[in-house]
């Protein structure tokens, strides 16, 4: 309800900027999703998924992504920590707090009872925490349970926040690699830095989300980067009422009918006359705005060149506009579906 209430603001003020929406999410939605997580460990995925789905749905709608979009894309683009890792972070932080309490404190006594049950191979809060740690953050090392019984500080836990964030980042990276056929632009694209250089980040709040003021353009660019666009290479992956799944090499461009209809083909390569003119117009603007721009040539890998363009901060607005206009142009013409795959 609170997630819908936050997003309902868009009906009154228009599309929410990602930064402001994230602030509202952390202030109004996240507390409900993490309430009580310190004492209720997420050992059952089926019951926890209901909570995780709220975060996914919120950010998918905010970014303009569909229900079938790559889950990892919302974390890669916004830098928000996956909820299961955030809840685990709060649980370890609670352990940190308990370890600093006096040994005769009721909360500390409860912790020690839980640790003793764990040592006796009995179910307990501490056992559940260890189980979640082994699943989410196996590289995080806890001290020996016997040591924790008498510990008077949490220093032995080390820098657990950094370890958990690294585990979350690694999970996102693994997910992107797992679905690389759709996420390759996210894997290749780099993030511009303050010093003018570019650097690869698995998770961060992307600069284009703030630099592109037109929400429709921003969402169109996000869909292109996240592999959630309406081009044939994605849409013909699944069956529907009109066709069965089409093999990858037969998902041809609806205009030139020569190459697979991918973002890089549509934005940089398609030989359909109207699109050629649009290509030329975009690249002319790109070369003008971007200092020392690398010119496109026939020998270049288009995957990498499109990722290069998506890494140039000064041209984010025109790239987003180009993505929006091109998507609109393609959507006006039905996809090319080979007759043998039609129902």
């Amino acid at each position: 309800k609170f997630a819908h209430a936050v997003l309902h603001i868009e009906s009154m003020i228009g599309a929410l900027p990602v930064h402001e929406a994230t602030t509202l999410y952390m202030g109004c939605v996240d507390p409900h999703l993490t309430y009580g997580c310190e004492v209720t460990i997420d050992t059952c995925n089926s019951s926890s998924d209901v909570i995780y789905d709220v975060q996914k749905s919120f950010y998918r709608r905010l970014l303009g992504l569909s229900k079938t979009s790559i889950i990892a894309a919302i974390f890669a683009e916004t830098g928000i920590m996956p909820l299961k890792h955030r809840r685990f972070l709060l649980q370890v932080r609670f352990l940190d707090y308990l370890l600093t309490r006096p040994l005769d404190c009721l909360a500390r006594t409860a912790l020690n009872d839980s640790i003793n049950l764990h040592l006796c191979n009995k179910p307990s809060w501490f056992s559940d925490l260890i189980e979640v740690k082994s699943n989410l953050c196996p590289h995080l090392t806890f001290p020996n349970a016997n040591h924790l019984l008498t510990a008077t500080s949490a220093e032995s836990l080390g820098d657990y926040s950094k370890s958990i964030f690294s585990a979350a980042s690694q999970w996102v990276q693994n997910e992107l690699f797992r679905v690389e056929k759709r996420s390759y632009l996210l894997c290749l694209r780099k993030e511009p830095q303050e010093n003018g250089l570019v650097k690869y980040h698995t998770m961060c709040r992307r600069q284009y989300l703030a630099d592109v003021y037109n929400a429709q353009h921003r969402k169109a660019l996000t869909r292109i980067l996240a592999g959630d666009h309406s081009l044939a290479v994605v849409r013909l992956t699944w069956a529907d009422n009109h066709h069965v799944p089409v093999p990858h090499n037969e998902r041809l461009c609806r205009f030139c009918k020569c190459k697979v209809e991918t973002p890089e083909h549509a934005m940089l390569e398609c030989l359909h006359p109207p699109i050629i003119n649009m290509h030329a117009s975009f690249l002319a603007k790109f070369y003008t705005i971007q200092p020392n721009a690398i010119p496109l040539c026939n020998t270049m890998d288009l995957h990498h060149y499109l990722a290069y363009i998506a890494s140039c901060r000064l041209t984010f607005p025109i790239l987003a506009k180009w993505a929006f206009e091109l998507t609109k142009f393609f959507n006006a013409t039905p996809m090319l579906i080979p007759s043998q795959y039609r129902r």
Side-chain angles (χ1 to χ4, degrees):
K1 290 182 179 180
F2 286 92
H4 285 299
V6 170
L7 292 172
H8 183 66
I9 296 174
E10 293 188 323
S11 66
M12 296 177 278
I13 65 170
L16 274 170
V18 175
H19 175 75
E20 285 74 9
T22 297
T23 301
L24 290 172
Y25 169 85
M26 293 304 296
C28 301
V29 182
D30 183 76
H32 292 275
L33 300 181
T34 57
Y35 180 77
C37 71
E38 296 89 347
V39 294
T40 308
I41 310 297
D42 301 332
T43 55
C44 179
N45 290 333
S46 59
S47 59
S48 303
D49 285 345
V50 177
I51 302 174
Y52 301 157
D53 286 345
V54 175
Q55 184 188 50
K56 297 173 192 174
S57 299
F58 181 92
Y59 276 98
R60 275 174 168 161
R61 179 173 165 184
L62 179 65
L63 296 174
L65 299 176
S66 71
K67 293 180 180 179
T68 59
S69 63
I70 303 166
I71 295 174
I74 65 177
F75 308 117
E77 296 302 276
T78 63
I80 196 78
M81 181 180 283
L83 188 58
K84 58 184 177 181
H85 290 87
R86 171 155 173 75
R87 286 169 65 91
F88 177 60
L89 173 61
L90 295 176
Q91 290 154 8
V92 179
R93 192 175 293 170
F94 184 53
L95 174 63
D96 182 321
Y97 163 76
L98 293 176
L99 290 174
T100 62
R101 306 304 298 157
L103 293 175
D104 58 351
C105 173
L106 286 177
R108 180 57 187 270
T109 302
L111 172 63
N112 285 356
D113 286 346
S114 178
I115 294 174
N116 282 321
L117 286 170
H118 169 70
L119 291 172
C120 296
N121 294 319
K122 302 291 185 180
S124 69
W125 178 88
F126 189 74
S127 298
D128 289 345
L129 187 66
I130 294 296
E131 179 183 343
V132 174
K133 181 190 78 68
S134 64
N135 292 331
L136 290 185
C137 193
H139 299 298
L140 176 62
T141 303
F142 279 176
N144 182 275
N146 288 306
H147 170 77
L148 292 178
L149 288 171
T150 56
T152 56
S153 73
E155 292 182 2
S156 56
L157 294 179
D159 190 358
Y160 56 83
S161 296
K162 182 178 180 180
S163 297
I164 295 172
F165 184 82
S166 296
S169 181
Q170 187 60 53
W171 176 81
V172 171
Q173 187 69 71
N174 292 341
E175 284 294 296
L176 292 177
F177 284 150
R178 186 178 64 83
V179 290
E180 192 174 10
K181 287 185 177 180
R182 292 181 65 184
S183 66
Y184 59 91
L185 288 175
L186 295 180
C187 296
L188 295 173
R189 177 270 320 269
K190 296 180 180 179
E191 188 67 11
Q193 307 296 300
E194 292 294 333
N195 59 8
L197 301 177
V198 293
K199 181 180 179 182
Y200 179 76
H201 291 282
T202 302
M203 291 171 56
C204 70
R205 186 179 299 162
R206 304 297 171 178
Q207 189 61 47
Y208 78 86
L209 296 175
D211 289 356
V212 180
Y213 297 118
N214 187 305
Q216 288 183 313
H217 296 177
R218 169 173 56 79
K219 291 178 180 180
L221 179 56
T222 301
R223 286 191 286 266
I224 289 289
L225 294 174
D228 191 43
H229 45 75
S230 56
L231 299 179
V233 69
V234 169
R235 293 301 167 214
L236 295 184
T237 303
W238 309 291
D240 63 15
N241 293 333
H242 305 289
H243 65 84
V244 297
V246 178
H248 182 273
N249 61 348
E250 296 185 56
R251 302 170 197 168
L252 299 180
C253 175
R254 68 195 75 186
F255 294 115
C256 70
K257 303 177 177 61
C258 297
K259 299 284 186 71
V260 175
E261 190 177 277
T262 61
E264 58 275 10
H265 169 77
M267 300 182 78
L268 301 171
E269 186 183 35
C270 183
L271 298 178
H272 186 54
I275 298 180
I276 291 177
N277 295 332
M278 297 166 74
H279 287 167
S281 176
F282 166 73
L283 289 174
K285 293 177 183 176
F286 175 72
Y287 297 148
T288 301
I289 298 173
Q290 180 63 28
N292 303 315
I294 300 173
L296 176 64
C297 63
N298 294 333
T299 59
M300 285 186 170
D301 184 304
L302 295 182
H303 292 78
H304 288 83
Y305 193 78
L306 183 54
Y308 158 69
I309 294 176
S311 305
C312 299
R313 180 176 181 179
L314 294 178
T315 55
F316 283 157
I318 65 167
L319 175 61
K321 183 180 180 182
W322 171 222
F324 172 76
E325 291 176 346
L326 188 77
T327 302
K328 185 177 179 180
F329 184 82
F330 269 75
N331 288 344
T333 301
M335 283 186 295
L336 177 65
I337 304 174
S339 58
Q340 64 268 34
Y341 301 109
R342 295 177 183 171
R343 291 189 187 276

